[in-house]
Amino acid sequence: MIRKGYSLLSWRFISKANLRRTRIFSASLLPHRQVHEESRVKIPDFSQEFKGQDNSFPCLSEQAPRSSIFGAEPIYSKVNSGFKTFLCDQPFHFKYNDGVIPQLQVAYETWGELNEAKDNVVLLCTGLSASSHAKSHLENPTPGWWENFVGPGCALDTDKFFIICCNNLGGCYGSSGPSSINPVTNKPYATTFPIVSVDDMVHSFFLTLDSLGIEKVHAVVGASLGGMSSLNAAALYPDRVGRVVTISACAQTHPASIALRYVQRRVLMSDPNWNKGFYYDGPYPRLGMKHAREVATITYRSGPEWGQRFGRKRVEDLPVVSPNLCPEFEIESYLDYQGDSFCFKYDPNSLLYISKAMDLFDLGEGFSSLLEGVSRIQCPTLVLGVQSDVLFPVTQQREVESLLKEAQNHNVTYYELPSIYGHDTFLLDVVAVGAAVKATSRQT
């Protein structure tokens, strides 16, 4: 006999013995009325006291309080004038996807005097977002991004050398890039601009040297992307490069670095105002650019430096009760400031293109191995790494040194610096970095 109010299906498959032994009590064995009553949604008792969090979010205001802790910072400025330009009216062909533009323009600046033999030239290659303005001069007195490294008696001694620095192809400070006007359409290229490689950048540099009648450079010097370019210059033009200084760079981009730059690009491209790169006549993708820069800043410095500089200090005079969901720690406020201060200085599409070029960099591409690609570099080479660098860890510079020596380059020097400034060390440590660069550049 099945008792009234119980499920026939449950009773059929569960014996009384099993119920006693395992003590399984199924909801299906409860009286149907009880199941119905317990499944009802309970209405909260709004008579109880509630005090929630202030959700005014003053940190979203342009006047939000910022960190008052200052420290060593690189110099980044938006450059609109003071540079020379090389214009090639011939089509320029890119490495990838059969890309071609009708004409090429390269912005460059120089310091020092070119001697009669034209053999005292140092080609200075820049990082991702730097311009050709490495050092102040009469046409542009604003301090440059390597202000204290270039000049009389400096690491790159203008009493001895003729220094030339070019804006990267794909950039936005005078060289052809996504923000340049396409002479075919009379509109900015935007994301119709061909994908750029480090090879393309180096070729544009040497076309500029050709226009100045310079056949060979005494040295190619660069850090980060510039360090990739300096290695690549010696690989692509071995007869035209006397020596190489490569700082905080690599022979091929590693997955961790690709991942870090991917996140930056993804953040930027997620801003609706980016509009697939066609924002030049519309709203600017400020938030995407700002947050991408915040991510980048994390990769440029180091935890030990921030531990010393910020610790767990809080921003003073917050307009809301603490703790809250707005930036409260000094390090949060610092990143917020870095994003805001940079986001209008650089073209977002240029950031996408040049960071992608860095990801694509591989000296072994087109060769049977990375070693074979590196073996093209047989000139004296200084490899410089920084122990606290998280974007280009020292393992990558050690790999460059090892590959060069394995490729029978018998004039390789390797230094590893203990600086706490991370990847930005090449911009800030004038003493250690400057001394190494000066010693190498002065070699004959």
Side-chain angles (χ1 to χ4, degrees), residues 75-350:
I75 297 172
Y76 291 104
S77 57
K78 189 170 184 176
V79 177
N80 296 313
S81 61
F83 51 80
K84 305 176 181 69
T85 56
F86 159 64
L87 181 63
C88 177
D89 286 326
Q90 299 298 315
F92 182 85
H93 294 265
F94 290 75
K95 179 177 181 178
Y96 295 117
N97 305 333
D98 296 320
V100 59
I101 53 177
Q103 60 184 29
L104 170 71
Q105 179 168 299
V106 180
Y108 68 94
E109 297 178 45
T110 64
W111 302 265
E113 296 294 330
L114 182 63
N115 64 17
E116 187 175 352
K118 296 186 177 182
D119 61 359
N120 67 331
V121 178
V122 173
L123 175 62
L124 176 59
C125 303
T126 81
L128 188 157
S129 55
S131 67
S132 59
H133 191 60
K135 171 77 175 181
S136 58
H137 50 76
L138 291 177
E139 289 78 15
N140 186 350
T142 305
W145 57 268
W146 238 28
E147 182 71 21
N148 296 320
F149 291 81
V150 179
C154 294
L156 296 183
D157 190 349
T158 52
D159 287 337
K160 184 177 179 65
F161 298 111
F162 177 71
I163 319 298
I164 179 168
C165 181
C166 300
N167 181 222
N168 285 318
L169 177 63
C172 56
Y173 295 135
S175 292
S176 297
S179 60
S180 302
I181 299 299
N182 182 346
V184 175
T185 64
N186 289 320
K187 295 180 180 180
Y189 285 102
T191 46
T192 67
F193 197 79
I195 291 295
V196 179
S197 70
V198 178
D199 285 19
D200 299 323
M201 296 176 188
V202 171
H203 289 317
S204 74
F205 300 159
F206 277 82
L207 285 172
T208 305
L209 294 174
D210 290 342
S211 72
L212 299 173
I214 298 169
E215 295 183 3
K216 185 174 181 177
V217 295
H218 174 76
V220 183
V221 178
S224 190
L225 167 59
M228 296 175 172
S229 298
S230 63
L231 286 169
N232 209 21
L236 294 173
Y237 297 93
D239 296 330
R240 300 185 65 178
V241 174
R243 56 195 37 76
V244 165
V245 175
T246 176
I247 308 167
S248 296
C250 61
Q252 64 179 186
T253 302
H254 287 231
S257 300
I258 294 173
L260 292 168
R261 282 188 289 268
Y262 159 77
V263 173
Q264 297 172 48
R265 290 194 297 271
R266 194 63 176 170
V267 166
L268 172 52
M269 295 167 74
S270 296
D271 188 326
N273 289 341
W274 178 65
N275 192 31
K276 296 184 178 180
F278 291 86
Y279 51 81
Y280 296 105
D281 294 325
Y284 184 82
R286 185 187 74 84
L287 284 179
M289 192 65 170
K290 172 185 174 177
H291 297 321
R293 185 62 179 185
E294 290 172 345
V295 174
T297 301
I298 296 171
T299 72
Y300 294 156
R301 306 306 276 258
S302 78
E305 184 214 351
W306 284 345
Q308 292 183 21
R309 184 171 170 184
F310 300 109
R312 291 182 54 81
K313 296 185 181 70
R314 307 289 183 101
V315 178
E316 297 179 357
D317 301 323
L318 287 173
V320 292
V321 66
S322 178
N324 59 78
L325 297 178
C326 281
E328 293 185 79
F329 292 97
E330 291 279 2
I331 182 60
E332 294 177 298
S333 179
Y334 167 78
L335 292 175
D336 185 57
Y337 168 76
Q338 288 296 321
D340 270 338
S341 64
F342 181 82
C343 65
F344 289 107
K345 292 180 180 178
Y346 200 68
D347 179 55
N349 281 337
S350 286

Side-chain angles (χ1 to χ4, degrees), residues 369-428:
S369 66
L370 178 58
L371 177 62
E372 184 182 356
V374 171
S375 66
R376 294 173 290 169
I377 305 171
Q378 291 297 321
C379 62
T381 303
L382 168 66
V383 182
L384 202 60
V386 178
Q387 292 174 356
S388 60
D389 193 337
V390 296
L391 185 57
F392 287 82
V394 288
T395 52
Q396 297 180 23
Q397 290 88 61
R398 293 171 189 165
E399 180 185 44
V400 172
E401 177 204 19
S402 176
L403 286 166
L404 286 168
K405 290 181 176 179
E406 189 177 352
Q408 303 305 307
N409 185 329
H410 301 296
N411 201 338
V412 180
T413 305
Y414 177 70
Y415 292 132
E416 196 169 286
L417 303 179
S419 170
I420 65 169
Y421 291 123
H423 190 63
D424 272 355
T425 295
F426 78 90
L427 294 166
L428 301 172

